[in-house]
Amino acid sequence: MKNNQIGAVHVGEKIYVIETNPAKSTVFNTEMSPQDMIEYCGLVPKFATEGGKTFRENLDDNYVYGTNWSSEATVDENYVYHYPQDEPLVPIITIRDLDSDDQVIMYPYGITAVRDNGKWVTSRLD
């Protein structure tokens, strides 16, 4: 699939692995490049990776409108987001911290999930 790609990025001392369209979903336009998919997420990837802390701490520090984390939603083994009474959302991108194995996942509508200390928490960041 054209828009499923894995790559590494260095931010300061940290190395992150980014995967676009990790669920290999056909929901996204196949003409979208991996770069298009990252840009579709806006500034959230930058906020998540700048600061040298966990993704959750970086987002808490860098997203000035408040993160309001919740544990009501679930993320399944294919990174699909599930919230009661809403349609499932497939991930746009995942970012994994090679040092801690923590992850952040970005979905349509500004939904963001963070695995911090082994548990998923979610928020809408737009």
Side-chain angles (χ1 to χ4, degrees), residues 10 12 27-28 32 34 47 52 69-70 75 79 104 109 121-122 125:
H10 296 262
V27 172
F28 301 110
M32 286 181 76
F47 292 157
W69 297 110
S70 169
V75 176
Y79 304 116
V104 61
Y109 312 111
V121 291
T122 61
L125 310 174

Side-chain angles (χ1 to χ4, degrees), residues 1 3-4 19-26 28 37 91-93:
M1 178 162 296
N3 53 20
N4 173 252
E19 183 174 7
T20 56
N21 193 9
K24 298 171 182 61
S25 174
T26 58
F28 301 110
M37 297 191 83
I92 303 166
I93 68 170

Side-chain angles (χ1 to χ4, degrees), residues 32-53:
M32 286 181 76
S33 71
Q35 186 62 39
D36 292 336
M37 297 191 83
I38 293 168
E39 288 176 9
Y40 181 51
C41 296
L43 294 172
V44 176
K46 179 179 178 176
F47 292 157
T49 57
E50 288 188 350
K53 301 176 184 175

Side-chain angles (χ1 to χ4, degrees), residues 9-112:
V9 63
H10 296 262
V11 179
E13 300 280 321
K14 292 221 172 239
I15 300 173
Y16 299 105
V17 174
I18 299 176
E19 183 174 7
T20 56
N21 193 9
K24 298 171 182 61
S25 174
T26 58
V27 172
F28 301 110
N29 181 338
T30 57
E31 296 303 311
M32 286 181 76
S33 71
Q35 186 62 39
D36 292 336
M37 297 191 83
I38 293 168
E39 288 176 9
Y40 181 51
C41 296
L43 294 172
V44 176
K46 179 179 178 176
F47 292 157
T49 57
E50 288 188 350
K53 301 176 184 175
T54 68
F55 291 126
R56 183 175 180 166
E57 291 170 326
N58 287 342
L59 286 166
D60 286 341
D61 291 347
N62 297 328
Y63 187 75
V64 297
Y65 299 106
T67 48
N68 296 315
W69 297 110
S70 169
S71 57
E72 293 178 45
T74 60
V75 176
D76 69 23
E77 66 278 356
N78 295 316
Y79 304 116
V80 176
Y81 171 91
H82 300 273
Y83 187 81
Q85 295 140 4
D86 285 350
E87 292 293 318
L89 296 176
V90 295
I92 303 166
I93 68 170
T94 63
I95 304 173
R96 185 167 49 92
D97 182 333
L98 287 179
D99 293 332
S100 67
D101 206 34
D102 283 344
Q103 289 182 298
V104 61
I105 306 171
M106 281 129 236
Y107 299 90
Y109 312 111
I111 302 294
T112 301

